Amino acid sequence: MSTPYALDFTEEPAPEAWIAVPILEGRGADRQRRKWAKKCAELRWALEDEGPRDKSQVKELARWLEGLSERLPQRIPMQHLFAYAPDLRKELLPLFFYALQSEGPVETVLDTLVQRDQPGSVQDPQIVGFTTDNLGKGLRSIRHYVHKGSGAPCMSVNYGWRVDSYGIDLSMRTVSDNIGWMSANIDAFDAFARSLKVVHPNDVVVD
């Protein structure tokens, strides 16, 4: 896409349960990824009141982070990737973003972004309006389907917005086979979405 964009937060600091995961490519990417994951795991555990039980928990978090950063961008089109980590002792939940330049009727585009008519659903997706002050007109869907490879029941939570100020249609999505846990965390996903804003990459402030 020709329109550059980045994601930032209306809150300062960014929500602690969410970790921005870099998408790295090219020469030296493996080393950069490993170095980032180690440092991020140390810093994230340092925010916990009780801290890690031992160094193995820090290493485990680093492995999860490195694995997400390496594997997911190779399998799923995305421009930004976050990990939801409300409990550092449990596996992380990836949440990914993809945007294209706005084109076509907004209702049709949003239906596509939230997978209204995606084949394979075991029932009609639950779709509600999800417009935010920062991202503009949007929808959110909760979709149940069966994974083609494993045959496991899965759930995806899909968001779509037309961000008029940047001329892009933005998708935010997460998927898991832990349906009960996903259902219990919908409010957290919604709160994260409401905290987001689209900015130019040069406007992102890195502490």
Side-chain angles (χ1 to χ4, degrees):
M1 60 178 292
S2 60
T3 304
Y5 80 102
L7 298 170
D8 204 352
F9 300 91
T10 57
E11 303 174 9
E12 291 295 343
E16 288 183 1
W18 297 89
I19 300 172
V21 180
I23 299 174
L24 302 170
E25 299 177 341
R27 185 175 181 179
D30 290 344
R31 181 176 178 277
Q32 293 178 57
R33 190 181 297 114
R34 192 159 42 248
K35 183 178 179 181
W36 166 82
K38 179 177 182 295
K39 188 64 175 178
C40 184
E42 293 171 349
L43 292 173
R44 185 61 186 82
W45 265 112
L47 296 175
E48 296 293 302
D49 292 336
E50 296 182 1
R53 181 183 65 248
D54 51 45
K55 290 184 178 180
S56 67
Q57 288 188 310
V58 180
K59 291 181 180 178
E60 181 69 8
L61 178 58
R63 282 194 291 270
W64 281 338
L65 289 169
E66 185 178 355
L68 287 181
S69 180
E70 180 181 14
R71 294 191 308 273
L72 282 183
Q74 297 178 15
R75 296 163 42 198
I76 302 169
M78 65 180 71
Q79 294 143 344
H80 295 282
L81 172 63
F82 284 82
Y84 180 48
D87 185 344
L88 300 184
R89 298 165 185 82
K90 296 182 179 180
E91 191 169 350
L92 309 177
L93 178 72
L95 191 149
F96 36 92
F97 293 80
Y98 190 78
L100 292 170
Q101 286 185 304
S102 297
E103 185 176 347
V106 61
E107 290 79 10
T108 302
V109 171
L110 293 182
D111 281 349
T112 300
L113 293 182
V114 301
Q115 302 186 337
R116 183 185 290 273
D117 299 316
Q118 183 79 5
S121 298
V122 299
Q123 61 190 51
D124 290 339
Q126 304 168 39
I127 300 177
V128 297
F130 201 90
T131 297
T132 77
D133 292 340
N134 300 307
L135 299 179
K137 185 173 183 178
L139 295 176
R140 184 201 71 197
S141 75
I142 298 173
R143 177 174 174 263
H144 295 266
Y145 66 99
V146 176
H147 190 275
K148 289 183 179 180
S150 66
C154 294
M155 186 174 99
S156 66
V157 184
N158 313 280
Y159 299 77
W161 297 274
R162 171 152 289 182
V163 188
D164 286 324
S165 58
Y166 271 76
I168 60 175
D169 294 320
L170 177 66
S171 166
M172 166 176 141
R173 185 168 183 251
T174 187
V175 180
S176 177
D177 59 2
N178 192 342
I179 294 175
W181 184 85
M182 282 270 285
S183 299
N185 282 270
I186 296 293
D187 287 348
F189 306 153
D190 286 355
F192 178 70
R194 292 190 180 98
S195 75
L196 286 169
K197 59 182 178 180
V198 172
V199 298
H200 191 279
N202 294 338
D203 294 335
V204 175
V205 177
V206 180
D207 295 330

